[in-house]
Amino acid sequence: MKISFFSSKSYDRSYFNRFNTSYQLKFYDTDLSLESIDLLSDSQAVCVFVNDQLNADVIKQLAAKNVKIIALRCAGFNNVDLQAAKAHGIAVVRVPAYSPHAVAEHAVALILTLNRKTHKAYNRVREGNFSLERLTGFDLFGKTVGVIGTGKIGEAFAKIMKGFGCRVLAYDLQPHPDLVALGIEYVALDALFTASDIVSLHCPLTPQTNRLINADTLQQMKPNAMLINTSRGGLVDTSAVIKALKTGHLGYFGIDVYEQEADLFFHDLSESIIQDDMLMRLMSFPNVLITSHQGFFTEEALCQIAQVTFQNIRDFEAGQLNPSTTLVQP
Ligand code: NAI
């Protein structure tokens, strides 16, 4: 079988080639869209990532090209019209858990950097500036951390924060008994917002969670609190965040995802004029830290992504899709 990869980078080529035993792999740098779909020739499988937009029109064209399976090399699937895939008899599979630790640890990295300002200290010291002025942080020990979504990543994150000696509050539609046994307290969403010094988002983007962080919920948060989003950009109303940062109500904002990231993240735009004024405004705040969707980016996760994706395709060929990795069974 031939598999066509869209939005592929050097690391995709490297890891997928390493674990490939039997497939013909075709890598395209471009994202999958109506414009790029003509690149496909006799591929029964397409392999896509977080910012490829698989809407109903794209899926219809994939069906016309005889594509039988969409293999997501990521966990989130808010970018795929699953009903359209079902209607066209195309299977959709994903990698539900490549390394929850990778993303959880990245969320912690954002917290520690924003708090202790190591990014600023690094630059200062390299320039011979050994002053401590304006580098004051706070102890994480004893602080209250609110975790929204305690699935695989939220669980790993909550356990790390417990290890720092934080009080950990959680909100999820399905509370996790093991976490309660570890002393993590499930509370109502407003109680989490009002009590937390740090709020970290680990739920998927769904119609219910779209803009979960908005002017109202930001207002409920403690003055000077920290907000971390490593989940999906659409969970946050960015213009409301900018207002809360300008008034000083929101103390820190750390993100690995951004609602309009599709044309920006994963690309080197260092010589381009960036047109996204909202992102540029965010970058101007001293208490904002942005990374470009690198939470997943560890050696362990990249190996797992390639191995599970190949296994998903082998299962499809054998007519035995694994329910835990299958979103649409044709
Ligand atoms: P998961 O499916 O294991 O956990 C999600 C949790 O959110 C579940 O416990 C679910 O009950 C809960 N949830 C669903 N709707 C909710 C709601 N309305 N309110 C509160 N909780 C709700 O997913 P996992 O693996 O922990 O991933 C979480 C998210 O992290 C993914 O959806 C994806 O958007 C993001 N992600 C980000 C990556 C990055 O590189 N930054 C990489 C991988 C995932």
Side-chain angles (χ1 to χ4, degrees), residues 55-306:
N55 57 32
D57 290 340
V58 168
I59 287 175
K60 188 175 166 199
Q61 292 303 317
L62 290 179
K65 294 263 182 196
N66 209 26
V67 167
K68 300 292 181 211
I69 179 167
I70 296 166
L72 289 157
R73 53 181 190 279
C74 54
F77 52 89
N78 51 289
N79 52 330
V80 184
D81 186 331
L82 300 180
Q83 282 181 342
K86 182 88 186 158
H88 287 285
I90 299 179
V92 183
V93 291
R94 66 174 178 142
V95 187
Y98 26 93
S99 170
H101 308 290
V103 186
E105 289 169 14
H106 190 72
V108 178
L110 293 177
I111 293 171
L112 288 171
T113 309
L114 275 169
N115 172 15
R116 304 305 299 268
K117 305 171 179 66
T118 41
H119 54 322
K120 296 182 185 181
Y122 172 81
N123 286 325
R124 274 194 197 184
V125 169
R126 281 167 66 92
E127 289 180 7
N129 175 357
F130 302 101
S131 159
L132 298 185
E133 297 292 339
R134 300 180 309 283
L135 293 182
T136 323
F138 57 85
D139 285 8
L140 283 171
F141 182 86
K143 294 293 182 299
T144 300
V145 178
V147 187
I148 301 182
T150 52
K152 291 174 285 295
I153 296 171
E155 175 183 352
F157 173 80
K159 286 177 176 167
I160 298 172
M161 298 320 292
K162 202 74 190 147
F164 274 105
C166 296
R167 177 184 179 211
V168 179
L169 304 180
Y171 173 77
D172 196 301
L173 303 177
Q174 293 169 321
H176 199 321
D178 293 355
L179 291 183
V180 176
L182 288 176
I184 287 153
E185 306 160 51
Y186 280 92
V187 294
L189 199 50
D190 12 349
L192 182 147
F193 283 127
T194 50
S196 299
D197 300 292
I198 299 171
V199 172
S200 193
L201 306 177
H202 298 288
C203 57
L205 177 62
T206 64
Q208 294 72 41
T209 60
N210 188 37
R211 305 222 161 156
L212 177 77
I213 304 295
N214 52 48
D216 291 340
T217 46
L218 282 162
Q219 199 48 46
Q220 287 175 33
M221 286 174 67
K222 275 187 172 179
N224 208 34
M226 183 187 289
L227 176 63
I228 300 292
N229 186 10
T230 56
S231 209
R232 281 295 179 268
L235 296 174
V236 173
D237 177 347
T238 311
S239 59
V241 162
I242 289 173
K243 282 188 190 132
L245 286 164
K246 282 169 83 175
T247 62
H249 181 72
L250 184 62
Y252 311 81
F253 185 49
I255 53 172
D256 187 47
V257 287
Y258 170 61
E259 194 168 12
Q260 310 303 333
E261 72 179 50
D263 294 331
L264 301 165
F265 286 12
F266 310 123
H267 304 292
D268 179 357
L269 302 177
S270 51
E271 296 298 321
S272 307
I273 309 295
I274 294 174
Q275 300 296 331
D276 189 320
D277 292 347
M278 196 124 74
L279 186 73
M280 297 316 280
R281 182 67 180 100
L282 274 183
M283 290 204 281
S284 73
F285 291 100
N287 49 353
V288 169
L289 182 60
I290 304 171
T291 55
S292 60
H293 211 135
Q294 70 175 79
F296 73 100
F297 205 53
T298 64
E299 171 75 23
E300 291 80 357
L302 289 168
C303 291
Q304 186 72 1
I305 287 170

